[in-house]
Amino acid sequence: MNEPPSNQLPPGQQLVAENKWPIIGEREPPPLAAPFVLRVNGLVRQVLELDLDSLKALGSGAYRVDLHCVTRWSKPGVEFTGVSLSKVLDLAGCRPEACFLSFVSLSSTGHHSSLPLETALAMGCFLATGVGGGPLPAEHGGPVRNIVPGRYLYKSVKWLGEIRVLAEDRLGTWEAGSGYHNSADPWREERYMAPALDKRLASNLIAGRDFRGHDLRSIEAAGRELAGLRAAGALLRDARFRGANLEGADFAGANLSNAGFQNALLRGARFQRADIEGAAFDGADLRGVSFAGCSLTGTTFVSAEGAARIDGSTQFTRAGLEALTPGQRAFVLAASPQLE
Ligand SMILES: Nc1nc2c(c(=O)[nH]1)N[C@H]1C(S)=C(S)[C@@H](COP(=O)(O)O)O[C@H]1N2
Ligand SMILES: [Mo]
């Protein structure tokens, strides 16, 4: 595969501030009851249980990696130290039937993600123990996290505790439960798999303007007449509302991550406590809109395509603004100087 130039961002991504690394997904490290051990098992000749010193004794290396989160922020050139996955697998010895790896977290949910064995080796996966000259902080997956260069960051499991070597794929937690794309290539924008939405149900709900309690991920509602839509608490990740009329719509508490509202009419709409990470509002009319309590990690208000209409009647909270990328924050503050 041709590697894209490293000075370029994958499509739909924007840079985070240089000193920032957002925390996404599980935030709390698991309580480590016993000293750390990494288990390597499944289709191996030798099951391994490596403590931190024996892992590092396999040979620590330096890695420079561009991180790309599916919620549209990128952090290029992060300097890690760690042990290459291939060294660990060489020690365990994969059996000929081995085709997939499942990376399992020590977190209380047992969070996991998977990769084809061949991809993991080709991408140069490694087990990170350090970053920026210090140990890997617990909130970013320390003591040990796998890092998968060249894939969205959801493939990089925090608090790694186990690598299972398998013949068949075992879909990861986000991939199986939330429709995250299993191959996760940011250069191809492999973010989500669109779920099979019942078209009749979707068009009935659009006609009735009531989405409450529904899973409508990736719903196509571009240009639709949806003023006064009731969508509090709805699951609308990756929904397409480009150019729709959504005046006065209620999205309180809805999951709208990566939803597209480009050029939509949203006057007076409510987004309190909604998840709008990675959502796009470029060109949308946002006068009278409330974004109180929303995390704005990866949210876009201005792009080459257009600028949102924001004024003193558009409400933000400080923590939300803090999470914006520098370019987006500067745009919002210029439109609404009283927020400064
Ligand atoms: N154990 C665990 N690992 C995880 C997750 C999680 O929820 N639990 N979330 C994934 C997702 S979706 C992302 S984007 C990255 C976020 O890593 P960060 O918090 O260090 O930025 O971790 C990935 N690894
Ligand atoms: Mo993510």
Side-chain angles (χ1 to χ4, degrees):
M1 197 170 67
N2 288 328
E3 274 306 301
S6 65
N7 60 351
Q8 206 178 291
L9 279 179
Q13 295 295 113
Q14 42 183 342
L15 292 174
V16 281
E18 220 165 295
N19 55 352
K20 283 210 177 151
W21 181 356
I23 298 174
I24 307 283
E26 292 179 288
R27 311 181 72 84
E28 292 292 323
L32 284 184
F36 174 83
V37 245
L38 172 68
R39 293 168 213 280
V40 183
N41 53 35
L43 297 170
V44 292
R45 296 185 201 289
Q46 174 70 57
V47 168
L48 303 179
E49 291 199 354
L50 301 169
D51 63 21
L52 203 50
D53 289 337
S54 359
L55 177 66
K56 288 180 176 170
L58 295 178
S60 234
Y63 299 84
R64 202 181 148 86
V65 182
D66 298 343
L67 303 182
H68 305 297
C69 179
V70 72
T71 58
R72 301 188 185 277
W73 57 265
S74 291
K75 186 170 179 60
V78 181
E79 306 210 332
F80 289 100
T81 50
V83 179
S84 86
L85 176 69
S86 69
K87 282 191 181 157
V88 177
L89 294 179
D90 283 348
L91 186 66
C94 289
R95 295 183 180 278
E97 321 85 87
C99 284
F100 291 91
L101 300 174
S102 176
F103 297 90
V104 188
S105 175
L106 293 166
S107 70
S108 57
T109 64
H111 188 94
H112 57 96
S113 187
S114 70
L115 286 173
L117 173 59
E118 215 174 282
T119 308
L121 296 174
M123 302 312 289
C125 277
F126 62 95
L127 311 184
T129 54
V131 69
L136 182 66
E139 70 266 27
H140 287 302
V144 177
R145 173 186 196 160
N146 83 312
I147 295 283
V148 187
R151 290 292 179 263
Y152 285 123
L153 195 55
Y154 61 83
K155 286 287 175 185
S156 298
V157 168
K158 298 190 268 195
W159 316 295
L160 183 68
E162 184 184 345
I163 300 172
R164 293 188 199 166
V165 182
L166 303 169
E168 308 274 346
D169 198 4
R170 173 184 183 236
L171 269 191
T173 309
W174 296 134
E175 293 88 332
S178 303
Y180 282 54
H181 202 295
N182 196 30
S183 68
D185 182 345
W187 298 95
R188 299 179 174 200
E189 283 213 84
E190 293 170 337
R191 297 177 195 271
Y192 305 112
M193 307 288 284
L197 247 185
D198 181 333
K199 288 221 167 68
R200 274 266 296 283
L201 174 67
S203 68
N204 286 341
L205 294 172
I206 288 174
R209 300 189 196 179
D210 191 352
F211 290 0
R212 287 172 300 174
H214 287 279
D215 175 353
L216 296 169
R217 281 176 284 153
S218 305
I219 189 173
E220 183 50 74
R224 302 307 289 261
E225 193 53 56
L226 287 165
L229 175 72
R230 286 175 293 175
L235 183 42
L236 290 166
R237 197 199 58 211
D238 210 26
R240 323 285 162 87
F241 289 112
R242 182 186 286 271
N245 179 5
L246 288 158
E247 287 198 25
D250 180 13
F251 288 108
N255 181 336
L256 287 161
S257 64
N258 283 17
F261 289 98
Q262 301 90 339
N263 300 320
L265 296 176
L266 280 160
R267 284 189 81 158
R270 295 183 297 283
F271 287 90
Q272 285 97 325
R273 297 171 322 285
D275 177 350
I276 54 170
E277 294 185 351
F281 291 94
D282 4 328
D285 187 343
L286 299 177
R287 289 172 293 170
V289 168
S290 171
F291 290 114
C294 294
S295 163
L296 301 177
T297 302
T299 308
T300 308
F301 294 102
V302 63
S303 75
E305 268 195 68
R309 186 131 184 219
I310 289 173
D311 67 14
S313 68
T314 314
Q315 295 169 50
F316 293 91
T317 36
R318 193 151 304 275
L321 290 176
E322 272 299 302
L324 283 172
T325 60
Q328 297 296 327
R329 189 164 55 243
F331 169 77
V332 171
L333 294 179
S336 196
Q338 85 288 353
L339 291 168
E340 188 77 88

